[in-house]
PDB file of all heavy atoms in Angstrom:
ATOM      1  N   HIS A   8      -9.307 -49.141 -15.708  1.00  0.00           N
ATOM      2  CA  HIS A   8      -9.567 -47.762 -15.303  1.00  0.00           C
ATOM      3  C   HIS A   8     -10.889 -47.640 -14.558  1.00  0.00           C
ATOM      4  O   HIS A   8     -11.016 -46.848 -13.616  1.00  0.00           O
ATOM      5  CB  HIS A   8      -9.587 -46.873 -16.546  1.00  0.00           C
ATOM      6  CG  HIS A   8      -9.857 -45.433 -16.218  1.00  0.00           C
ATOM      7  ND1 HIS A   8      -8.903 -44.623 -15.613  1.00  0.00           N
ATOM      8  CD2 HIS A   8     -10.971 -44.664 -16.406  1.00  0.00           C
ATOM      9  CE1 HIS A   8      -9.420 -43.412 -15.437  1.00  0.00           C
ATOM     10  NE2 HIS A   8     -10.682 -43.406 -15.916  1.00  0.00           N
ATOM     11  N   ASN A   9     -11.915 -48.409 -14.911  1.00  0.00           N
ATOM     12  CA  ASN A   9     -13.234 -48.329 -14.276  1.00  0.00           C
ATOM     13  C   ASN A   9     -13.300 -49.106 -12.981  1.00  0.00           C
ATOM     14  O   ASN A   9     -14.073 -48.765 -12.085  1.00  0.00           O
ATOM     15  CB  ASN A   9     -14.308 -48.838 -15.226  1.00  0.00           C
ATOM     16  CG  ASN A   9     -14.498 -47.903 -16.411  1.00  0.00           C
ATOM     17  OD1 ASN A   9     -14.103 -46.738 -16.355  1.00  0.00           O
ATOM     18  ND2 ASN A   9     -15.080 -48.427 -17.489  1.00  0.00           N
ATOM     19  N   PHE A  10     -12.524 -50.145 -12.814  1.00  0.00           N
ATOM     20  CA  PHE A  10     -12.559 -50.980 -11.615  1.00  0.00           C
ATOM     21  C   PHE A  10     -11.172 -51.023 -11.010  1.00  0.00           C
ATOM     22  O   PHE A  10     -10.405 -51.966 -11.233  1.00  0.00           O
ATOM     23  CB  PHE A  10     -13.024 -52.409 -11.956  1.00  0.00           C
ATOM     24  CG  PHE A  10     -14.387 -52.442 -12.586  1.00  0.00           C
ATOM     25  CD1 PHE A  10     -14.509 -52.528 -13.969  1.00  0.00           C
ATOM     26  CD2 PHE A  10     -15.517 -52.357 -11.817  1.00  0.00           C
ATOM     27  CE1 PHE A  10     -15.756 -52.552 -14.555  1.00  0.00           C
ATOM     28  CE2 PHE A  10     -16.766 -52.383 -12.400  1.00  0.00           C
ATOM     29  CZ  PHE A  10     -16.896 -52.471 -13.765  1.00  0.00           C
ATOM     30  N   PRO A  11     -10.835 -49.968 -10.194  1.00  0.00           N
ATOM     31  CA  PRO A  11      -9.501 -49.941  -9.571  1.00  0.00           C
ATOM     32  C   PRO A  11      -9.415 -50.945  -8.439  1.00  0.00           C
ATOM     33  O   PRO A  11     -10.420 -51.423  -7.912  1.00  0.00           O
ATOM     34  CB  PRO A  11      -9.385 -48.497  -9.060  1.00  0.00           C
ATOM     35  CG  PRO A  11     -10.805 -48.062  -8.835  1.00  0.00           C
ATOM     36  CD  PRO A  11     -11.626 -48.750  -9.894  1.00  0.00           C
ATOM     37  N   GLU A  12      -8.223 -51.246  -8.064  1.00  0.00           N
ATOM     38  CA  GLU A  12      -7.987 -52.205  -6.985  1.00  0.00           C
ATOM     39  C   GLU A  12      -8.431 -51.601  -5.648  1.00  0.00           C
ATOM     40  O   GLU A  12      -8.126 -50.451  -5.349  1.00  0.00           O
ATOM     41  CB  GLU A  12      -6.501 -52.551  -6.934  1.00  0.00           C
ATOM     42  CG  GLU A  12      -6.189 -53.645  -5.938  1.00  0.00           C
ATOM     43  CD  GLU A  12      -4.713 -53.979  -5.937  1.00  0.00           C
ATOM     44  OE1 GLU A  12      -3.988 -53.387  -6.763  1.00  0.00           O
ATOM     45  OE2 GLU A  12      -4.307 -54.818  -5.119  1.00  0.00           O
ATOM     46  N   PRO A  13      -9.203 -52.329  -4.801  1.00  0.00           N
ATOM     47  CA  PRO A  13      -9.704 -51.778  -3.530  1.00  0.00           C
ATOM     48  C   PRO A  13      -8.558 -51.426  -2.583  1.00  0.00           C
ATOM     49  O   PRO A  13      -7.500 -52.054  -2.584  1.00  0.00           O
ATOM     50  CB  PRO A  13     -10.559 -52.910  -2.976  1.00  0.00           C
ATOM     51  CG  PRO A  13     -10.083 -54.134  -3.672  1.00  0.00           C
ATOM     52  CD  PRO A  13      -9.627 -53.707  -5.019  1.00  0.00           C
ATOM     53  N   LYS A  14      -8.818 -50.372  -1.750  1.00  0.00           N
ATOM     54  CA  LYS A  14      -7.822 -49.911  -0.793  1.00  0.00           C
ATOM     55  C   LYS A  14      -7.775 -50.830   0.414  1.00  0.00           C
ATOM     56  O   LYS A  14      -8.706 -51.591   0.671  1.00  0.00           O
ATOM     57  CB  LYS A  14      -8.155 -48.482  -0.348  1.00  0.00           C
ATOM     58  CG  LYS A  14      -8.138 -47.492  -1.503  1.00  0.00           C
ATOM     59  CD  LYS A  14      -8.514 -46.118  -1.008  1.00  0.00           C
ATOM     60  CE  LYS A  14      -8.511 -45.106  -2.162  1.00  0.00           C
ATOM     61  NZ  LYS A  14      -8.878 -43.758  -1.709  1.00  0.00           N
ATOM     62  N   PRO A  15      -6.689 -50.777   1.242  1.00  0.00           N
ATOM     63  CA  PRO A  15      -6.593 -51.655   2.429  1.00  0.00           C
ATOM     64  C   PRO A  15      -7.713 -51.436   3.422  1.00  0.00           C
ATOM     65  O   PRO A  15      -8.175 -52.385   4.061  1.00  0.00           O
ATOM     66  CB  PRO A  15      -5.231 -51.282   3.018  1.00  0.00           C
ATOM     67  CG  PRO A  15      -4.451 -50.748   1.848  1.00  0.00           C
ATOM     68  CD  PRO A  15      -5.444 -50.061   0.978  1.00  0.00           C
ATOM     69  N   SER A  16      -8.191 -50.158   3.622  1.00  0.00           N
ATOM     70  CA  SER A  16      -9.283 -49.907   4.572  1.00  0.00           C
ATOM     71  C   SER A  16     -10.560 -50.586   4.119  1.00  0.00           C
ATOM     72  O   SER A  16     -11.316 -51.141   4.926  1.00  0.00           O
ATOM     73  CB  SER A  16      -9.505 -48.399   4.724  1.00  0.00           C
ATOM     74  OG  SER A  16      -9.822 -47.831   3.450  1.00  0.00           O
ATOM     75  N   GLU A  17     -10.832 -50.582   2.813  1.00  0.00           N
ATOM     76  CA  GLU A  17     -12.031 -51.237   2.305  1.00  0.00           C
ATOM     77  C   GLU A  17     -11.937 -52.747   2.465  1.00  0.00           C
ATOM     78  O   GLU A  17     -12.924 -53.424   2.750  1.00  0.00           O
ATOM     79  CB  GLU A  17     -12.234 -50.868   0.839  1.00  0.00           C
ATOM     80  CG  GLU A  17     -12.540 -49.386   0.637  1.00  0.00           C
ATOM     81  CD  GLU A  17     -12.704 -49.055  -0.830  1.00  0.00           C
ATOM     82  OE1 GLU A  17     -12.471 -49.984  -1.653  1.00  0.00           O
ATOM     83  OE2 GLU A  17     -13.052 -47.918  -1.149  1.00  0.00           O
ATOM     84  N   ARG A  18     -10.722 -53.306   2.306  1.00  0.00           N
ATOM     85  CA  ARG A  18     -10.549 -54.737   2.509  1.00  0.00           C
ATOM     86  C   ARG A  18     -10.838 -55.115   3.958  1.00  0.00           C
ATOM     87  O   ARG A  18     -11.459 -56.148   4.228  1.00  0.00           O
ATOM     88  CB  ARG A  18      -9.119 -55.144   2.135  1.00  0.00           C
ATOM     89  CG  ARG A  18      -8.825 -55.047   0.645  1.00  0.00           C
ATOM     90  CD  ARG A  18      -7.382 -55.405   0.372  1.00  0.00           C
ATOM     91  NE  ARG A  18      -7.078 -55.283  -1.033  1.00  0.00           N
ATOM     92  CZ  ARG A  18      -5.852 -55.472  -1.540  1.00  0.00           C
ATOM     93  NH1 ARG A  18      -4.831 -55.772  -0.723  1.00  0.00           N
ATOM     94  NH2 ARG A  18      -5.663 -55.338  -2.841  1.00  0.00           N
ATOM     95  N   ALA A  19     -10.366 -54.249   4.902  1.00  0.00           N
ATOM     96  CA  ALA A  19     -10.619 -54.539   6.323  1.00  0.00           C
ATOM     97  C   ALA A  19     -12.099 -54.475   6.633  1.00  0.00           C
ATOM     98  O   ALA A  19     -12.634 -55.286   7.397  1.00  0.00           O
ATOM     99  CB  ALA A  19      -9.850 -53.555   7.206  1.00  0.00           C
ATOM    100  N   ARG A  20     -12.831 -53.502   6.065  1.00  0.00           N
ATOM    101  CA  ARG A  20     -14.266 -53.376   6.292  1.00  0.00           C
ATOM    102  C   ARG A  20     -14.998 -54.594   5.739  1.00  0.00           C
ATOM    103  O   ARG A  20     -15.950 -55.097   6.339  1.00  0.00           O
ATOM    104  CB  ARG A  20     -14.779 -52.095   5.647  1.00  0.00           C
ATOM    105  CG  ARG A  20     -16.204 -51.776   6.066  1.00  0.00           C
ATOM    106  CD  ARG A  20     -16.694 -50.497   5.406  1.00  0.00           C
ATOM    107  NE  ARG A  20     -15.827 -49.378   5.753  1.00  0.00           N
ATOM    108  CZ  ARG A  20     -15.107 -48.692   4.881  1.00  0.00           C
ATOM    109  NH1 ARG A  20     -15.143 -49.026   3.596  1.00  0.00           N
ATOM    110  NH2 ARG A  20     -14.335 -47.698   5.267  1.00  0.00           N
ATOM    111  N   GLU A  21     -14.543 -55.124   4.614  1.00  0.00           N
ATOM    112  CA  GLU A  21     -15.189 -56.308   4.039  1.00  0.00           C
ATOM    113  C   GLU A  21     -14.939 -57.522   4.904  1.00  0.00           C
ATOM    114  O   GLU A  21     -15.830 -58.371   5.059  1.00  0.00           O
ATOM    115  CB  GLU A  21     -14.657 -56.545   2.622  1.00  0.00           C
ATOM    116  CG  GLU A  21     -15.139 -55.491   1.628  1.00  0.00           C
ATOM    117  CD  GLU A  21     -14.522 -55.723   0.268  1.00  0.00           C
ATOM    118  OE1 GLU A  21     -13.715 -56.673   0.155  1.00  0.00           O
ATOM    119  OE2 GLU A  21     -14.824 -54.961  -0.667  1.00  0.00           O
ATOM    120  N   ARG A  22     -13.743 -57.599   5.520  1.00  0.00           N
ATOM    121  CA  ARG A  22     -13.480 -58.735   6.414  1.00  0.00           C
ATOM    122  C   ARG A  22     -14.323 -58.662   7.666  1.00  0.00           C
ATOM    123  O   ARG A  22     -14.739 -59.679   8.213  1.00  0.00           O
ATOM    124  CB  ARG A  22     -11.982 -58.759   6.770  1.00  0.00           C
ATOM    125  CG  ARG A  22     -11.093 -59.271   5.639  1.00  0.00           C
ATOM    126  CD  ARG A  22      -9.722 -59.673   6.179  1.00  0.00           C
ATOM    127  NE  ARG A  22      -9.039 -58.520   6.771  1.00  0.00           N
ATOM    128  CZ  ARG A  22      -8.206 -57.738   6.091  1.00  0.00           C
ATOM    129  NH1 ARG A  22      -7.973 -57.977   4.808  1.00  0.00           N
ATOM    130  NH2 ARG A  22      -7.630 -56.711   6.682  1.00  0.00           N
ATOM    131  N   GLU A  23     -14.611 -57.420   8.180  1.00  0.00           N
ATOM    132  CA  GLU A  23     -15.456 -57.286   9.361  1.00  0.00           C
ATOM    133  C   GLU A  23     -16.874 -57.713   9.056  1.00  0.00           C
ATOM    134  O   GLU A  23     -17.565 -58.277   9.906  1.00  0.00           O
ATOM    135  CB  GLU A  23     -15.452 -55.830   9.848  1.00  0.00           C
ATOM    136  CG  GLU A  23     -14.114 -55.408  10.425  1.00  0.00           C
ATOM    137  CD  GLU A  23     -14.119 -53.939  10.820  1.00  0.00           C
ATOM    138  OE1 GLU A  23     -15.179 -53.304  10.605  1.00  0.00           O
ATOM    139  OE2 GLU A  23     -13.096 -53.440  11.303  1.00  0.00           O
ATOM    140  N   ALA A  24     -17.308 -57.456   7.803  1.00  0.00           N
ATOM    141  CA  ALA A  24     -18.679 -57.813   7.452  1.00  0.00           C
ATOM    142  C   ALA A  24     -18.817 -59.268   7.073  1.00  0.00           C
ATOM    143  O   ALA A  24     -19.919 -59.756   6.894  1.00  0.00           O
ATOM    144  CB  ALA A  24     -19.168 -56.936   6.283  1.00  0.00           C
ATOM    145  N   ALA A  25     -17.733 -59.993   6.960  1.00  0.00           N
ATOM    146  CA  ALA A  25     -17.796 -61.402   6.559  1.00  0.00           C
ATOM    147  C   ALA A  25     -18.308 -62.232   7.713  1.00  0.00           C
ATOM    148  O   ALA A  25     -18.078 -61.916   8.883  1.00  0.00           O
ATOM    149  CB  ALA A  25     -16.409 -61.889   6.137  1.00  0.00           C
ATOM    150  N   PRO A  26     -19.028 -63.307   7.469  1.00  0.00           N
ATOM    151  CA  PRO A  26     -19.561 -64.157   8.560  1.00  0.00           C
ATOM    152  C   PRO A  26     -18.445 -64.866   9.295  1.00  0.00           C
ATOM    153  O   PRO A  26     -17.426 -65.242   8.701  1.00  0.00           O
ATOM    154  CB  PRO A  26     -20.471 -65.144   7.829  1.00  0.00           C
ATOM    155  CG  PRO A  26     -19.966 -65.158   6.431  1.00  0.00           C
ATOM    156  CD  PRO A  26     -19.440 -63.800   6.154  1.00  0.00           C
ATOM    157  N   SER A  27     -18.626 -65.041  10.680  1.00  0.00           N
ATOM    158  CA  SER A  27     -17.634 -65.710  11.522  1.00  0.00           C
ATOM    159  C   SER A  27     -17.781 -67.207  11.365  1.00  0.00           C
ATOM    160  O   SER A  27     -18.802 -67.694  10.894  1.00  0.00           O
ATOM    161  CB  SER A  27     -17.819 -65.286  12.992  1.00  0.00           C
ATOM    162  OG  SER A  27     -19.129 -65.662  13.417  1.00  0.00           O
ATOM    163  N   PRO A  28     -16.795 -67.965  11.837  1.00  0.00           N
ATOM    164  CA  PRO A  28     -16.857 -69.429  11.715  1.00  0.00           C
ATOM    165  C   PRO A  28     -18.024 -70.029  12.479  1.00  0.00           C
ATOM    166  O   PRO A  28     -18.523 -71.080  12.110  1.00  0.00           O
ATOM    167  CB  PRO A  28     -15.520 -69.897  12.273  1.00  0.00           C
ATOM    168  CG  PRO A  28     -14.609 -68.728  12.085  1.00  0.00           C
ATOM    169  CD  PRO A  28     -15.469 -67.521  12.269  1.00  0.00           C
ATOM    170  N   GLU A  29     -18.497 -69.386  13.610  1.00  0.00           N
ATOM    171  CA  GLU A  29     -19.574 -69.974  14.378  1.00  0.00           C
ATOM    172  C   GLU A  29     -20.921 -69.664  13.747  1.00  0.00           C
ATOM    173  O   GLU A  29     -21.950 -70.058  14.280  1.00  0.00           O
ATOM    174  CB  GLU A  29     -19.565 -69.432  15.807  1.00  0.00           C
ATOM    175  CG  GLU A  29     -18.357 -69.921  16.613  1.00  0.00           C
ATOM    176  CD  GLU A  29     -17.120 -69.101  16.308  1.00  0.00           C
ATOM    177  OE1 GLU A  29     -17.270 -68.074  15.589  1.00  0.00           O
ATOM    178  OE2 GLU A  29     -16.016 -69.470  16.744  1.00  0.00           O
ATOM    179  N   GLY A  30     -20.938 -68.949  12.629  1.00  0.00           N
ATOM    180  CA  GLY A  30     -22.215 -68.655  12.000  1.00  0.00           C
ATOM    181  C   GLY A  30     -22.794 -67.354  12.448  1.00  0.00           C
ATOM    182  O   GLY A  30     -23.957 -67.066  12.184  1.00  0.00           O
ATOM    183  N   HIS A  31     -22.072 -66.524  13.287  1.00  0.00           N
ATOM    184  CA  HIS A  31     -22.555 -65.233  13.745  1.00  0.00           C
ATOM    185  C   HIS A  31     -22.108 -64.172  12.780  1.00  0.00           C
ATOM    186  O   HIS A  31     -21.034 -64.243  12.216  1.00  0.00           O
ATOM    187  CB  HIS A  31     -22.014 -64.925  15.149  1.00  0.00           C
ATOM    188  CG  HIS A  31     -22.488 -65.930  16.170  1.00  0.00           C
ATOM    189  ND1 HIS A  31     -23.756 -65.884  16.719  1.00  0.00           N
ATOM    190  CD2 HIS A  31     -21.840 -66.976  16.719  1.00  0.00           C
ATOM    191  CE1 HIS A  31     -23.862 -66.898  17.595  1.00  0.00           C
ATOM    192  NE2 HIS A  31     -22.713 -67.575  17.610  1.00  0.00           N
ATOM    193  N   SER A  32     -22.881 -63.172  12.666  1.00  0.00           N
ATOM    194  CA  SER A  32     -22.575 -62.056  11.782  1.00  0.00           C
ATOM    195  C   SER A  32     -22.538 -60.798  12.593  1.00  0.00           C
ATOM    196  O   SER A  32     -23.483 -60.510  13.335  1.00  0.00           O
ATOM    197  CB  SER A  32     -23.637 -61.943  10.685  1.00  0.00           C
ATOM    198  OG  SER A  32     -23.412 -60.795   9.919  1.00  0.00           O
ATOM    199  N   LEU A  33     -21.437 -60.072  12.521  1.00  0.00           N
ATOM    200  CA  LEU A  33     -21.259 -58.836  13.249  1.00  0.00           C
ATOM    201  C   LEU A  33     -21.230 -57.692  12.277  1.00  0.00           C
ATOM    202  O   LEU A  33     -20.547 -57.752  11.265  1.00  0.00           O
ATOM    203  CB  LEU A  33     -19.940 -58.886  14.037  1.00  0.00           C
ATOM    204  CG  LEU A  33     -19.827 -60.016  15.090  1.00  0.00           C
ATOM    205  CD1 LEU A  33     -18.440 -59.983  15.727  1.00  0.00           C
ATOM    206  CD2 LEU A  33     -20.920 -59.882  16.149  1.00  0.00           C
ATOM    207  N   MET A  34     -21.920 -56.653  12.612  1.00  0.00           N
ATOM    208  CA  MET A  34     -21.958 -55.464  11.753  1.00  0.00           C
ATOM    209  C   MET A  34     -21.691 -54.249  12.606  1.00  0.00           C
ATOM    210  O   MET A  34     -22.352 -54.068  13.634  1.00  0.00           O
ATOM    211  CB  MET A  34     -23.324 -55.346  11.073  1.00  0.00           C
ATOM    212  CG  MET A  34     -23.414 -54.138  10.134  1.00  0.00           C
ATOM    213  SD  MET A  34     -24.989 -54.069   9.284  1.00  0.00           S
ATOM    214  CE  MET A  34     -24.860 -55.549   8.313  1.00  0.00           C
ATOM    215  N   SER A  35     -20.729 -53.491  12.263  1.00  0.00           N
ATOM    216  CA  SER A  35     -20.366 -52.295  12.990  1.00  0.00           C
ATOM    217  C   SER A  35     -21.069 -51.122  12.362  1.00  0.00           C
ATOM    218  O   SER A  35     -20.936 -50.875  11.166  1.00  0.00           O
ATOM    219  CB  SER A  35     -18.846 -52.093  12.944  1.00  0.00           C
ATOM    220  OG  SER A  35     -18.513 -50.887  13.562  1.00  0.00           O
ATOM    221  N   LEU A  36     -21.842 -50.400  13.224  1.00  0.00           N
ATOM    222  CA  LEU A  36     -22.572 -49.236  12.741  1.00  0.00           C
ATOM    223  C   LEU A  36     -22.060 -47.962  13.364  1.00  0.00           C
ATOM    224  O   LEU A  36     -22.719 -46.926  13.313  1.00  0.00           O
ATOM    225  CB  LEU A  36     -24.062 -49.387  13.078  1.00  0.00           C
ATOM    226  CG  LEU A  36     -24.749 -50.621  12.492  1.00  0.00           C
ATOM    227  CD1 LEU A  36     -26.207 -50.679  12.980  1.00  0.00           C
ATOM    228  CD2 LEU A  36     -24.704 -50.589  10.989  1.00  0.00           C
ATOM    229  N   SER A  37     -20.888 -48.061  14.002  1.00  0.00           N
ATOM    230  CA  SER A  37     -20.388 -46.895  14.703  1.00  0.00           C
ATOM    231  C   SER A  37     -20.077 -45.751  13.753  1.00  0.00           C
ATOM    232  O   SER A  37     -20.202 -44.590  14.120  1.00  0.00           O
ATOM    233  CB  SER A  37     -19.127 -47.266  15.506  1.00  0.00           C
ATOM    234  OG  SER A  37     -18.150 -47.758  14.594  1.00  0.00           O
ATOM    235  N   GLU A  38     -19.689 -46.071  12.554  1.00  0.00           N
ATOM    236  CA  GLU A  38     -19.321 -44.997  11.636  1.00  0.00           C
ATOM    237  C   GLU A  38     -20.533 -44.279  11.095  1.00  0.00           C
ATOM    238  O   GLU A  38     -20.413 -43.213  10.522  1.00  0.00           O
ATOM    239  CB  GLU A  38     -18.498 -45.559  10.477  1.00  0.00           C
ATOM    240  CG  GLU A  38     -19.205 -46.642   9.706  1.00  0.00           C
ATOM    241  CD  GLU A  38     -18.343 -47.182   8.587  1.00  0.00           C
ATOM    242  OE1 GLU A  38     -17.279 -46.595   8.360  1.00  0.00           O
ATOM    243  OE2 GLU A  38     -18.747 -48.179   7.961  1.00  0.00           O
TER     244      GLU A  38
END
């Protein structure tokens, strides 16, 4: 009840914040 399963939009945001294979990190601040 305290830790519900994350929604698909949150999963996508976490994948965007994950580091790329070349070692670059992209962060979207548009929102």
Side-chain angles (χ1 to χ4, degrees):
H8 180 73
N9 291 341
F10 301 98
E12 186 179 357
K14 298 178 180 180
S16 59
E17 294 179 355
R18 291 178 182 176
R20 191 180 302 117
E21 290 177 358
R22 285 197 298 268
E23 291 177 359
S27 60
E29 291 81 8
H31 298 281
S32 174
L33 300 177
M34 181 177 295
S35 176
L36 301 177
S37 59
E38 58 181 352

